[in-house]
Amino acid sequence: MTLTVVIPFDLHPDVPLGGAGSQDMRLASVRVPKSPVVVAFVDNRKPKAGTLLRAVGDVLVEKGIIESYFVYEKRAMVPLTDVECDEIGGRANVVISGVGDCGGCTACSVTDALRMLDRGFPAFIVATRAFETLVDATERQYGLLGMNRLYVDHPVWSRDPGWFEHAASRLEPVITGVVTGGMTIAPTNEAGEPAARSVFDALEGLRAILDTDGYGLAVEMAGDGLALAISADPDTCADCLAPAGVIAGIAHDMLGKAGFDIPTSAITVNLPSLDQKLTSAAEMDLPSP
Amino acid sequence: MSDFGALKDNLSTFPDYFSAQDFFFQNGLTDGLPIVPPVLELVGPMLAMTKREPGDVLGIVENRTSGITVEQAAVCAVMAGALPSYFPVVLAIWEAIFDPGFNAGAVLGSSGGAAVTAVVSGQYARQIGMNSEKNLFGPGNRANATIGRAIRLGLLNALGYRVGELDGAAFGNQARYTSAFAERTPPPGWMSLNARLGYGADATTVTVAPTDAPRQMTHILSGDAENVLKMLTASMQDGSHCAAGRGTTFFILLGPEHTAILHEAGWTIDAIRDRLSESSRVLPEFLEAAGAPLREDRLPVEHGDRMELRADGTLPTADAGDIFVVTAGGTGAGWSQVLFGYAPRAVFRAVTREVVLP
């Protein structure tokens, strides 16, 4: 005998239960940090979290990447309040939240990073690898793309001082990539693996293609879409650059394979300000795929 | 509720009962136990127990986009094996969970593996047959078993609290399958929980908190009230739990024998709460003996909560307002049970909601 049942849950294999699908997620509109860069480390009070965050801050200051940093000590396992977000945003232009090394604290620290990202600040979550899936799930549930990930080995609280210095030196390039690279992200973490799964990482392949021909790529979130700014050295091959529409299509495909459903129409490609290239791009612009 | 039209958008047909069960298992829609297939004939009567529309959202977890609709809650209640008459209690529990003070976004996915425990106080609990007496946490009572299970299935299926998604529980515990019970009628002169919380005599309430699994407290040595209170104090003073020195919420279920001893000795529930709050305070030496010594960097703040040394040098285990004493359980040798809030009091608070009948 057949049985007809009510199943009001999303069973699409790519959509986690209770979470947003990538098509439902907003892209953050993030301001590129301008000098002087001041980083707010949001310390969730987990044991040794402050130690790790301060170590990272010290490296960034020593290398001249940032002007200064401060550590904001918050209540663990309770998200930042609006007042706290305002206070942090009034003093810093980059926010790094952590350390997520348990379920509740990871969820809250991710939420803190996302709330600051939602206010236009480049934001990072620092978490242990044991909680990568929880970071992803919390991001989906918040529904906002653009948060950067900084992962370290689990756990943090039992480590000796040397470990923190080592971890900080591994995380520093990722942060530096954002602070100095026009929202680009260095693609390695402590283990030399992809560190930050984000729209920026998804476009690393495009960056490599452009780099082969002497072009640079900077990615920014702009409103509901992405802005790709392509730069060129004076002696770069003028005929090697594909039209803007083609580049947007390639970006769309790469983002799609990484799970980001961003329509081609929401991807703006700004070509280098060389007359022949602008002309070439305009003449050859192809319809969006 | 106007009609069941929206339900028809979510219908799936299976060749037989067994293939339907397989589908729910294969798609991770169960708690590991078979479910009652949510056929329209069962979901409809569940929805008839509320005036809210099937598509109404019961709540959104703070800072998240996901919540649970009335329809989803009803389907989970059917899957759990609940009767329609239980549904108003289920809805009240959901509303408590979505109170910001409950801090669902943090507590539900914590690696601490909290159970969602609901104390139901009032006449509707008796009316629907909830168990407040023998074996109330054990098997055998449909209302207790399925009301709590309906919540867990909703957390799994609507909110994504499953391993690999939002559930970070390191161990979990059996109470995470279901943890709901009714308050036993207190002896004359003792107010029921709903009355103490300011609700009317006709009201039925749910008081909900994220807790550990229950711990049994044994006291069969004397009929002395002071000894009962000392043993309850000893149960609360567990140096291996974060409550000691920081404070948390407690549900204390006084069994009939202990209730009688305390009642006959003239203790009121408010006095018991005050006493336990005071007597359960701990000295730093206690924490040190438990392997959790106070350090400069843990005082005055630990896990976001203040560890404030009082002038007498003690630290709190529970504020009186966070101790929920109820009469419950069946007759026996002399048992009570203590449920610890799973995390320090700074993280969450117990939330009470009134059960709304259709």
Side-chain angles (χ1 to χ4, degrees), chain A residues 1-9 11 16-18 45-46 75-79 102-104 107-108 111 115 133-134 137-138 141-142, chain B residues 10-16 23 38-39 63-66 71-72 76 103 105-106 109-111 157-160 162 165-166 301 342 346:
Chain A
M1 188 181 76
T2 61
L3 199 65
T4 299
V5 301
V6 188
I7 307 178
F9 311 112
L11 299 177
L17 291 165
R45 306 274 194 163
K46 292 308 296 287
R75 289 197 302 161
M77 296 191 58
V78 179
C102 73
C108 286
T111 300
R115 295 197 71 204
T133 55
L134 195 63
T138 305
Q141 289 244 343
Y142 192 100
Chain B
N10 296 313
L11 296 180
S12 298
T13 299
F14 299 91
D16 53 43
F23 179 87
V39 296
N63 294 311
R64 305 279 169 81
T65 54
S66 64
E71 176 188 356
Q72 289 172 326
C76 289
N103 197 11
S110 171
S111 56
N157 295 333
L159 298 182
R162 63 181 68 240
E165 293 179 41
L166 287 173
V301 174
Y342 95 104

Short mmCIF file of all heavy atoms in Angstrom, two decimals, chain A residues 1-9 11 16-18 45-46 75-79 102-104 107-108 111 115 133-134 137-138 141-142, chain B residues 10-16 23 38-39 63-66 71-72 76 103 105-106 109-111 157-160 162 165-166 301 342 346:
data_model
loop_
_atom_site.label_atom_id
_atom_site.label_comp_id
_atom_site.label_asym_id
_atom_site.label_seq_id
_atom_site.Cartn_x
_atom_site.Cartn_y
_atom_site.Cartn_z
N MET A 1 0.85 -1.19 0.00
CA MET A 1 0.00 0.00 0.00
C MET A 1 0.89 1.24 0.00
O MET A 1 1.82 1.33 0.79
CB MET A 1 -0.88 0.01 1.25
CG MET A 1 -1.93 1.09 1.23
SD MET A 1 -2.93 1.10 2.74
CE MET A 1 -1.80 1.83 3.90
N THR A 2 0.63 2.15 -0.90
CA THR A 2 1.46 3.36 -0.96
C THR A 2 1.21 4.24 0.26
O THR A 2 0.16 4.18 0.90
CB THR A 2 1.16 4.16 -2.23
OG1 THR A 2 -0.20 4.56 -2.22
CG2 THR A 2 1.46 3.36 -3.48
N LEU A 3 2.22 5.04 0.52
CA LEU A 3 2.16 5.91 1.70
C LEU A 3 2.56 7.32 1.26
O LEU A 3 3.64 7.52 0.71
CB LEU A 3 3.14 5.39 2.74
CG LEU A 3 2.98 5.83 4.18
CD1 LEU A 3 1.68 5.31 4.77
CD2 LEU A 3 4.16 5.31 5.00
N THR A 4 1.71 8.29 1.52
CA THR A 4 2.02 9.68 1.17
C THR A 4 2.27 10.47 2.44
O THR A 4 1.42 10.51 3.34
CB THR A 4 0.87 10.31 0.37
OG1 THR A 4 0.69 9.57 -0.84
CG2 THR A 4 1.18 11.76 0.02
N VAL A 5 3.45 11.06 2.53
CA VAL A 5 3.84 11.75 3.76
C VAL A 5 4.20 13.20 3.45
O VAL A 5 4.50 13.58 2.32
CB VAL A 5 5.05 11.06 4.44
CG1 VAL A 5 4.72 9.62 4.77
CG2 VAL A 5 6.28 11.14 3.56
N VAL A 6 4.17 14.02 4.51
CA VAL A 6 4.52 15.43 4.41
C VAL A 6 5.98 15.59 4.82
O VAL A 6 6.36 15.22 5.93
CB VAL A 6 3.63 16.29 5.34
CG1 VAL A 6 3.88 17.78 5.08
CG2 VAL A 6 2.16 15.95 5.15
N ILE A 7 6.79 16.14 3.93
CA ILE A 7 8.21 16.36 4.24
C ILE A 7 8.53 17.82 3.93
O ILE A 7 8.95 18.16 2.83
CB ILE A 7 9.12 15.42 3.44
CG1 ILE A 7 8.69 13.96 3.64
CG2 ILE A 7 10.58 15.60 3.88
CD1 ILE A 7 9.51 12.97 2.84
N PRO A 8 8.34 18.70 4.90
CA PRO A 8 8.56 20.13 4.64
C PRO A 8 9.98 20.58 4.89
O PRO A 8 10.22 21.67 5.40
CB PRO A 8 7.59 20.78 5.63
CG PRO A 8 7.60 19.85 6.80
CD PRO A 8 7.83 18.46 6.24
N PHE A 9 10.94 19.72 4.59
CA PHE A 9 12.35 20.07 4.79
C PHE A 9 13.06 20.02 3.45
O PHE A 9 12.73 19.19 2.60
CB PHE A 9 13.01 19.10 5.77
CG PHE A 9 12.23 18.89 7.02
CD1 PHE A 9 11.65 17.67 7.27
CD2 PHE A 9 12.06 19.92 7.92
CE1 PHE A 9 10.90 17.48 8.42
CE2 PHE A 9 11.31 19.74 9.06
CZ PHE A 9 10.73 18.51 9.32
N LEU A 11 15.50 18.89 0.98
CA LEU A 11 16.30 17.68 0.87
C LEU A 11 17.29 17.74 -0.28
O LEU A 11 17.91 16.74 -0.62
CB LEU A 11 15.38 16.46 0.68
CG LEU A 11 14.40 16.23 1.83
CD1 LEU A 11 13.49 15.05 1.51
CD2 LEU A 11 15.14 15.97 3.11
N PRO A 16 22.33 22.12 3.00
CA PRO A 16 22.26 21.50 4.32
C PRO A 16 20.95 21.82 5.00
O PRO A 16 20.41 22.91 4.83
CB PRO A 16 23.43 22.14 5.08
CG PRO A 16 23.79 23.34 4.32
CD PRO A 16 23.33 23.18 2.91
N LEU A 17 20.44 20.85 5.72
CA LEU A 17 19.19 21.09 6.43
C LEU A 17 19.34 22.26 7.37
O LEU A 17 20.31 22.37 8.10
CB LEU A 17 18.80 19.83 7.22
CG LEU A 17 18.39 18.66 6.35
CD1 LEU A 17 18.39 17.38 7.16
CD2 LEU A 17 17.02 18.90 5.75
N GLY A 18 18.38 23.13 7.30
CA GLY A 18 18.42 24.27 8.20
C GLY A 18 19.33 25.38 7.75
O GLY A 18 19.40 26.43 8.36
N ARG A 45 37.57 34.74 24.99
CA ARG A 45 37.89 34.32 26.35
C ARG A 45 38.16 32.84 26.50
O ARG A 45 38.29 32.36 27.63
CB ARG A 45 36.78 34.69 27.34
CG ARG A 45 36.41 36.15 27.32
CD ARG A 45 37.30 36.94 28.22
NE ARG A 45 36.74 38.27 28.44
CZ ARG A 45 37.11 39.07 29.41
NH1 ARG A 45 38.01 38.67 30.26
NH2 ARG A 45 36.58 40.25 29.54
N LYS A 46 38.19 32.12 25.40
CA LYS A 46 38.59 30.73 25.56
C LYS A 46 40.06 30.71 25.99
O LYS A 46 40.85 31.59 25.58
CB LYS A 46 38.40 29.95 24.26
CG LYS A 46 36.95 29.78 23.85
CD LYS A 46 36.08 29.21 24.95
CE LYS A 46 36.44 27.80 25.38
NZ LYS A 46 36.07 26.76 24.40
N ARG A 75 32.30 38.46 26.16
CA ARG A 75 31.79 37.31 26.89
C ARG A 75 31.80 36.10 25.97
O ARG A 75 31.33 36.16 24.84
CB ARG A 75 30.38 37.56 27.40
CG ARG A 75 30.32 38.56 28.53
CD ARG A 75 29.00 38.46 29.26
NE ARG A 75 27.86 38.67 28.39
CZ ARG A 75 26.63 38.28 28.68
NH1 ARG A 75 26.38 37.67 29.80
NH2 ARG A 75 25.63 38.53 27.87
N ALA A 76 32.31 34.99 26.46
CA ALA A 76 32.33 33.77 25.66
C ALA A 76 30.91 33.27 25.45
O ALA A 76 30.03 33.44 26.30
CB ALA A 76 33.14 32.69 26.36
N MET A 77 30.68 32.69 24.32
CA MET A 77 29.43 32.00 24.01
C MET A 77 28.21 32.91 24.05
O MET A 77 27.09 32.46 24.24
CB MET A 77 29.23 30.80 24.94
CG MET A 77 30.31 29.76 24.70
SD MET A 77 29.99 28.22 25.50
CE MET A 77 28.43 27.77 24.81
N VAL A 78 28.46 34.18 23.88
CA VAL A 78 27.37 35.15 23.72
C VAL A 78 27.80 36.08 22.59
O VAL A 78 28.89 36.65 22.65
CB VAL A 78 27.13 35.96 25.01
CG1 VAL A 78 26.01 36.98 24.80
CG2 VAL A 78 26.78 35.03 26.16
N PRO A 79 26.98 36.24 21.55
CA PRO A 79 27.40 37.10 20.44
C PRO A 79 27.59 38.55 20.88
O PRO A 79 27.01 39.01 21.87
CB PRO A 79 26.24 36.98 19.44
CG PRO A 79 25.51 35.74 19.82
CD PRO A 79 25.68 35.59 21.31
N CYS A 102 35.41 25.19 20.22
CA CYS A 102 34.32 24.34 20.72
C CYS A 102 33.07 24.72 19.92
O CYS A 102 33.13 25.63 19.08
CB CYS A 102 34.08 24.54 22.21
SG CYS A 102 33.31 26.10 22.65
N GLY A 103 31.96 24.04 20.18
CA GLY A 103 30.79 24.28 19.34
C GLY A 103 30.18 25.65 19.54
O GLY A 103 30.01 26.43 18.60
N GLY A 104 29.84 25.96 20.80
CA GLY A 104 29.17 27.22 21.07
C GLY A 104 30.05 28.42 20.83
O GLY A 104 29.61 29.44 20.28
N ALA A 107 30.46 29.01 17.09
CA ALA A 107 29.26 29.61 16.51
C ALA A 107 29.19 31.10 16.84
O ALA A 107 28.86 31.93 15.98
CB ALA A 107 28.01 28.89 17.01
N CYS A 108 29.52 31.45 18.07
CA CYS A 108 29.44 32.86 18.46
C CYS A 108 30.55 33.68 17.81
O CYS A 108 30.30 34.81 17.36
CB CYS A 108 29.51 32.99 19.98
SG CYS A 108 28.00 32.48 20.79
N THR A 111 29.69 34.27 14.30
CA THR A 111 28.63 35.27 14.25
C THR A 111 29.20 36.66 14.46
O THR A 111 28.81 37.62 13.78
CB THR A 111 27.56 34.97 15.32
OG1 THR A 111 27.01 33.67 15.05
CG2 THR A 111 26.45 36.00 15.31
N ARG A 115 28.90 39.60 11.79
CA ARG A 115 28.21 40.86 12.10
C ARG A 115 29.08 42.05 11.75
O ARG A 115 28.59 43.07 11.28
CB ARG A 115 27.83 40.89 13.59
CG ARG A 115 26.80 39.83 13.96
CD ARG A 115 26.14 40.14 15.28
NE ARG A 115 25.26 41.28 15.14
CZ ARG A 115 24.89 42.08 16.15
NH1 ARG A 115 25.35 41.85 17.36
NH2 ARG A 115 24.08 43.08 15.94
N THR A 133 33.66 22.47 9.82
CA THR A 133 32.29 22.28 9.31
C THR A 133 31.31 23.17 10.06
O THR A 133 30.33 23.66 9.48
CB THR A 133 31.84 20.81 9.44
OG1 THR A 133 31.98 20.40 10.80
CG2 THR A 133 32.67 19.90 8.55
N LEU A 134 31.57 23.39 11.33
CA LEU A 134 30.68 24.26 12.10
C LEU A 134 30.82 25.71 11.64
O LEU A 134 29.84 26.47 11.61
CB LEU A 134 30.98 24.14 13.60
CG LEU A 134 29.92 24.69 14.53
CD1 LEU A 134 28.61 23.94 14.38
CD2 LEU A 134 30.38 24.61 15.98
N ALA A 137 28.80 25.84 8.47
CA ALA A 137 27.35 25.76 8.71
C ALA A 137 26.82 27.04 9.33
O ALA A 137 25.73 27.51 8.98
CB ALA A 137 27.05 24.56 9.62
N THR A 138 27.60 27.62 10.24
CA THR A 138 27.15 28.87 10.87
C THR A 138 27.10 30.00 9.85
O THR A 138 26.18 30.82 9.84
CB THR A 138 28.08 29.24 12.03
OG1 THR A 138 28.15 28.13 12.94
CG2 THR A 138 27.58 30.46 12.78
N GLN A 141 24.03 29.60 7.84
CA GLN A 141 22.82 29.97 8.58
C GLN A 141 22.70 31.48 8.73
O GLN A 141 21.60 32.00 8.84
CB GLN A 141 22.83 29.30 9.96
CG GLN A 141 22.60 27.82 9.88
CD GLN A 141 21.32 27.41 10.57
OE1 GLN A 141 20.76 28.15 11.35
NE2 GLN A 141 20.84 26.22 10.27
N TYR A 142 23.82 32.17 8.76
CA TYR A 142 23.77 33.63 8.81
C TYR A 142 23.40 34.18 7.44
O TYR A 142 22.72 35.19 7.32
CB TYR A 142 25.12 34.18 9.27
CG TYR A 142 25.12 35.65 9.63
CD1 TYR A 142 25.05 36.06 10.96
CD2 TYR A 142 25.18 36.63 8.65
CE1 TYR A 142 25.06 37.40 11.29
CE2 TYR A 142 25.18 37.97 8.97
CZ TYR A 142 25.12 38.35 10.29
OH TYR A 142 25.11 39.69 10.62
N ASN B 10 4.27 19.75 -0.09
CA ASN B 10 5.41 19.02 0.44
C ASN B 10 5.15 17.52 0.56
O ASN B 10 5.70 16.86 1.43
CB ASN B 10 5.79 19.58 1.82
CG ASN B 10 6.24 21.02 1.75
OD1 ASN B 10 7.06 21.38 0.90
ND2 ASN B 10 5.69 21.86 2.61
N LEU B 11 4.29 17.00 -0.29
CA LEU B 11 3.93 15.59 -0.19
C LEU B 11 4.89 14.73 -1.01
O LEU B 11 5.30 15.10 -2.11
CB LEU B 11 2.50 15.37 -0.68
CG LEU B 11 1.40 16.04 0.14
CD1 LEU B 11 0.02 15.74 -0.45
CD2 LEU B 11 1.45 15.60 1.60
N SER B 12 5.24 13.59 -0.45
CA SER B 12 6.03 12.59 -1.16
C SER B 12 5.36 11.24 -0.98
O SER B 12 4.89 10.92 0.11
CB SER B 12 7.46 12.52 -0.60
OG SER B 12 8.12 13.75 -0.77
N THR B 13 5.32 10.46 -2.04
CA THR B 13 4.65 9.15 -1.98
C THR B 13 5.67 8.03 -2.09
O THR B 13 6.59 8.09 -2.91
CB THR B 13 3.62 9.04 -3.13
OG1 THR B 13 2.65 10.08 -2.95
CG2 THR B 13 2.91 7.69 -3.09
N PHE B 14 5.50 7.03 -1.23
CA PHE B 14 6.39 5.88 -1.20
C PHE B 14 5.58 4.61 -1.44
O PHE B 14 4.38 4.57 -1.11
CB PHE B 14 7.10 5.79 0.16
CG PHE B 14 7.95 7.00 0.45
CD1 PHE B 14 7.42 8.09 1.13
CD2 PHE B 14 9.26 7.05 0.00
CE1 PHE B 14 8.20 9.21 1.38
CE2 PHE B 14 10.04 8.18 0.24
CZ PHE B 14 9.51 9.26 0.93
N PRO B 15 6.22 3.59 -2.00
CA PRO B 15 5.46 2.38 -2.32
C PRO B 15 4.91 1.68 -1.08
O PRO B 15 3.88 1.01 -1.16
CB PRO B 15 6.47 1.49 -3.05
CG PRO B 15 7.76 2.19 -3.03
CD PRO B 15 7.58 3.56 -2.52
N ASP B 16 5.62 1.80 0.03
CA ASP B 16 5.12 1.14 1.24
C ASP B 16 5.74 1.79 2.47
O ASP B 16 6.61 2.67 2.38
CB ASP B 16 5.43 -0.37 1.22
CG ASP B 16 6.89 -0.65 0.96
OD1 ASP B 16 7.73 0.05 1.56
OD2 ASP B 16 7.20 -1.54 0.16
N PHE B 23 13.66 6.05 3.61
CA PHE B 23 13.91 7.40 3.10
C PHE B 23 14.28 8.34 4.25
O PHE B 23 15.23 9.12 4.14
CB PHE B 23 12.67 7.92 2.38
CG PHE B 23 12.84 9.31 1.85
CD1 PHE B 23 13.40 9.53 0.60
CD2 PHE B 23 12.46 10.42 2.60
CE1 PHE B 23 13.58 10.82 0.11
CE2 PHE B 23 12.64 11.71 2.12
CZ PHE B 23 13.20 11.91 0.87
N PRO B 38 4.91 10.92 8.70
CA PRO B 38 4.00 12.06 8.86
C PRO B 38 2.99 12.16 7.71
O PRO B 38 3.11 13.03 6.84
CB PRO B 38 4.95 13.24 8.90
CG PRO B 38 6.14 12.81 8.10
CD PRO B 38 6.27 11.33 8.31
N VAL B 39 2.03 11.30 7.75
CA VAL B 39 0.98 11.33 6.73
C VAL B 39 0.04 12.50 7.01
O VAL B 39 -0.09 12.97 8.15
CB VAL B 39 0.20 10.00 6.69
CG1 VAL B 39 1.13 8.85 6.28
CG2 VAL B 39 -0.44 9.69 8.05
N ASN B 63 20.61 35.97 14.93
CA ASN B 63 21.75 36.06 14.01
C ASN B 63 21.80 34.91 13.01
O ASN B 63 22.88 34.61 12.47
CB ASN B 63 23.07 36.11 14.77
CG ASN B 63 23.23 37.38 15.58
OD1 ASN B 63 23.02 38.48 15.06
ND2 ASN B 63 23.55 37.23 16.84
N ARG B 64 20.69 34.27 12.77
CA ARG B 64 20.64 33.21 11.77
C ARG B 64 19.47 33.49 10.84
O ARG B 64 18.62 34.32 11.13
CB ARG B 64 20.44 31.84 12.43
CG ARG B 64 21.46 31.50 13.48
CD ARG B 64 22.75 30.97 12.83
NE ARG B 64 23.82 30.88 13.82
CZ ARG B 64 23.95 29.88 14.68
NH1 ARG B 64 23.08 28.90 14.68
NH2 ARG B 64 24.95 29.86 15.54
N THR B 65 19.45 32.75 9.74
CA THR B 65 18.33 32.89 8.82
C THR B 65 17.32 31.77 9.00
O THR B 65 16.25 31.81 8.42
CB THR B 65 18.83 32.87 7.37
OG1 THR B 65 19.61 31.69 7.18
CG2 THR B 65 19.69 34.10 7.07
N SER B 66 17.67 30.75 9.76
CA SER B 66 16.79 29.59 9.83
C SER B 66 15.95 29.60 11.10
O SER B 66 16.39 30.05 12.16
CB SER B 66 17.61 28.31 9.79
OG SER B 66 18.44 28.24 10.92
N GLU B 71 4.18 24.25 10.60
CA GLU B 71 4.06 23.00 9.84
C GLU B 71 5.22 22.06 10.12
O GLU B 71 5.02 20.86 10.36
CB GLU B 71 3.98 23.31 8.35
CG GLU B 71 3.95 22.07 7.48
CD GLU B 71 4.06 22.40 6.00
OE1 GLU B 71 4.08 23.60 5.65
OE2 GLU B 71 4.11 21.46 5.19
N GLN B 72 6.43 22.60 10.09
CA GLN B 72 7.59 21.74 10.36
C GLN B 72 7.55 21.19 11.78
O GLN B 72 7.87 20.02 12.01
CB GLN B 72 8.88 22.54 10.15
CG GLN B 72 9.16 22.86 8.68
CD GLN B 72 10.33 23.82 8.51
OE1 GLN B 72 10.54 24.71 9.33
NE2 GLN B 72 11.08 23.65 7.43
N CYS B 76 7.35 17.21 12.76
CA CYS B 76 8.31 16.59 13.69
C CYS B 76 7.59 15.96 14.88
O CYS B 76 8.02 14.92 15.39
CB CYS B 76 9.34 17.62 14.15
SG CYS B 76 10.49 18.09 12.85
N ASN B 103 19.65 31.87 24.19
CA ASN B 103 20.91 31.89 23.46
C ASN B 103 21.08 30.64 22.60
O ASN B 103 22.12 29.98 22.61
CB ASN B 103 22.09 32.05 24.42
CG ASN B 103 23.38 32.48 23.72
OD1 ASN B 103 23.37 32.86 22.55
ND2 ASN B 103 24.48 32.42 24.44
N GLY B 105 21.59 30.08 19.54
CA GLY B 105 22.68 30.02 18.57
C GLY B 105 23.96 29.48 19.16
O GLY B 105 24.78 28.90 18.45
N ALA B 106 24.14 29.66 20.44
CA ALA B 106 25.35 29.16 21.09
C ALA B 106 25.12 27.81 21.74
O ALA B 106 25.93 26.89 21.59
CB ALA B 106 25.84 30.16 22.13
N GLY B 109 24.37 24.09 19.69
CA GLY B 109 25.42 23.40 18.95
C GLY B 109 26.70 23.22 19.75
O GLY B 109 27.71 22.82 19.20
N SER B 110 26.65 23.50 21.02
CA SER B 110 27.86 23.47 21.83
C SER B 110 28.47 22.07 21.89
O SER B 110 27.76 21.06 21.90
CB SER B 110 27.55 23.94 23.24
OG SER B 110 28.65 23.72 24.09
N SER B 111 29.79 22.03 21.99
CA SER B 111 30.44 20.73 22.16
C SER B 111 30.09 20.11 23.50
O SER B 111 30.29 18.92 23.72
CB SER B 111 31.96 20.86 22.00
OG SER B 111 32.47 21.82 22.91
N ASN B 157 16.04 18.61 11.94
CA ASN B 157 15.52 18.70 10.57
C ASN B 157 15.24 20.11 10.09
O ASN B 157 15.35 20.40 8.90
CB ASN B 157 14.25 17.86 10.44
CG ASN B 157 14.53 16.39 10.64
OD1 ASN B 157 15.65 15.93 10.39
ND2 ASN B 157 13.55 15.64 11.11
N ALA B 158 14.85 20.98 10.97
CA ALA B 158 14.53 22.35 10.55
C ALA B 158 15.69 23.30 10.81
O ALA B 158 15.92 24.22 10.03
CB ALA B 158 13.28 22.85 11.27
N LEU B 159 16.41 23.09 11.89
CA LEU B 159 17.45 24.05 12.27
C LEU B 159 18.86 23.57 11.96
O LEU B 159 19.82 24.32 12.12
CB LEU B 159 17.34 24.38 13.76
CG LEU B 159 16.03 25.05 14.19
CD1 LEU B 159 16.05 25.37 15.67
CD2 LEU B 159 15.78 26.32 13.39
N GLY B 160 19.00 22.34 11.53
CA GLY B 160 20.32 21.88 11.11
C GLY B 160 21.25 21.48 12.22
O GLY B 160 22.47 21.42 12.01
N ARG B 162 22.73 18.95 13.50
CA ARG B 162 23.16 17.57 13.34
C ARG B 162 24.68 17.57 13.20
O ARG B 162 25.28 18.58 12.81
CB ARG B 162 22.48 16.93 12.14
CG ARG B 162 22.83 17.59 10.81
CD ARG B 162 22.10 16.93 9.67
NE ARG B 162 20.67 17.17 9.74
CZ ARG B 162 19.75 16.22 9.84
NH1 ARG B 162 20.11 14.96 9.89
NH2 ARG B 162 18.48 16.51 9.88
N GLU B 165 26.99 19.47 10.67
CA GLU B 165 26.45 20.80 10.41
C GLU B 165 26.65 21.63 11.68
O GLU B 165 27.76 21.97 12.02
CB GLU B 165 24.99 20.71 9.97
CG GLU B 165 24.87 20.03 8.60
CD GLU B 165 23.44 19.90 8.14
OE1 GLU B 165 22.66 20.83 8.32
OE2 GLU B 165 23.10 18.84 7.60
N LEU B 166 25.57 21.89 12.40
CA LEU B 166 25.68 22.81 13.52
C LEU B 166 25.89 22.14 14.87
O LEU B 166 26.19 22.81 15.85
CB LEU B 166 24.43 23.69 13.60
CG LEU B 166 24.31 24.76 12.51
CD1 LEU B 166 22.95 25.43 12.60
CD2 LEU B 166 25.41 25.79 12.66
N VAL B 301 37.37 36.92 35.48
CA VAL B 301 36.52 36.51 34.36
C VAL B 301 36.93 35.12 33.89
O VAL B 301 38.09 34.86 33.65
CB VAL B 301 36.63 37.50 33.19
CG1 VAL B 301 35.86 36.98 31.99
CG2 VAL B 301 36.09 38.85 33.62
N TYR B 342 24.03 23.23 31.43
CA TYR B 342 25.22 22.62 30.84
C TYR B 342 26.41 23.59 30.80
O TYR B 342 27.53 23.18 30.53
CB TYR B 342 24.90 22.13 29.42
CG TYR B 342 25.26 23.11 28.36
CD1 TYR B 342 26.38 22.93 27.58
CD2 TYR B 342 24.51 24.27 28.21
CE1 TYR B 342 26.75 23.87 26.64
CE2 TYR B 342 24.87 25.21 27.28
CZ TYR B 342 25.99 25.01 26.50
OH TYR B 342 26.37 25.95 25.59
N ALA B 346 26.32 32.78 32.65
CA ALA B 346 26.47 33.92 31.73
C ALA B 346 26.03 33.55 30.33
O ALA B 346 25.72 34.42 29.52
CB ALA B 346 27.92 34.38 31.70
#
